[in-house]
Amino acid sequence: MAETALARPGRATRRVRVVTSAVIVTAVALAVLVVPPLAQLDQQAVDLANKLDPPSLAHPFGTDDVGRDLLLRCVYGLRVSLLVGLVAALTATVIGTAIGALAGAFGGWTDRIVMRVVDALSSIPHLLLGIFIVAMFRPGVWPVIVSVALTHWISTARIVRSEVLSLRSRPFIDAAVSGGASRTRVVVRHLLPGVLPQAGLAAVLMVPHAMWHESALSFLGLGLPAHQASLGNLVQSARGSLLAGDWWPTLFPGLFLIIPTLALAGLAGAWRDRINPRRKSELML
């Protein structure tokens, strides 16, 4: 009874966090789908007479250094950053799932070679490796996506390999092998479906990470072109304004980056508890 009473506040808090995260993610999805197509021209409109206006009714987020509305710029920049994050995260998840499943299913020398490559790449900072990759191309969306995808599949590969090694010891895998199923059939029909929930969770957690990675590259001038609105470019272009005491061109793009990250993390935590009942029961005690 005592454990149940203690668990109720924790469950209520998690429920509120999940609902809040879902509302934020839904609002972000609606904003990036509806607002940018309607405001694609307006967010580029220059009004030098109203440059660096503080937040007001006419401009809730204020204006930037050339008079453009920051609310529209932030929403449009969020759309670009979110697109980069989604495509990069999905690509990295596919690469990591394939490599992790290959290492775990075949084992032996295949596993050793793959994991040594993973260990070697893990020793290099993601941002440094991403800078090296993106520097070989002109600034643009696809070089950033390739850079993020090629530097973020490693954690997914480790997770998938661990899950595959766990599944290989299950009786139904032994039964499939005894029944004459080939190794490829065992991987495709039995092992991959078992790791998809973990791979999906890794993809969700990777989206905000990829968004931050894109923002860091754009902030350094190596990501998206300077004329293209992204959250990293907005923060980068606001550095001079911040030194002059104008805080809003930096604050609001930063919040547009932080709030969706926290919301996605909240949903990912609920997903993790759902696919890992043991951890959920431990949290409820």
Side-chain angles (χ1 to χ4, degrees), residues 85-164:
L86 283 171
V87 176
L90 290 175
T91 305
T93 301
V94 171
I95 295 173
T97 301
I99 293 177
L102 176 70
F106 285 84
W109 283 105
T110 302
D111 186 28
R112 293 188 185 95
I113 293 173
V114 169
M115 295 315 297
R116 294 300 76 77
V117 172
V118 168
D119 292 339
L121 293 177
S122 299
S123 65
I124 305 175
H126 286 175
L127 185 58
L128 181 62
L129 185 58
I131 290 174
F132 175 77
I133 294 173
V134 80
M136 295 187 296
F137 307 93
R138 289 185 177 183
V141 172
W142 286 109
V144 174
I145 291 175
V146 171
S147 170
V148 175
L150 292 181
T151 56
H152 286 71
W153 60 267
I154 299 171
S155 59
T156 303
R158 290 183 182 276
I159 293 171
V160 170
R161 172 184 175 270
S162 177
E163 288 293 315
V164 169

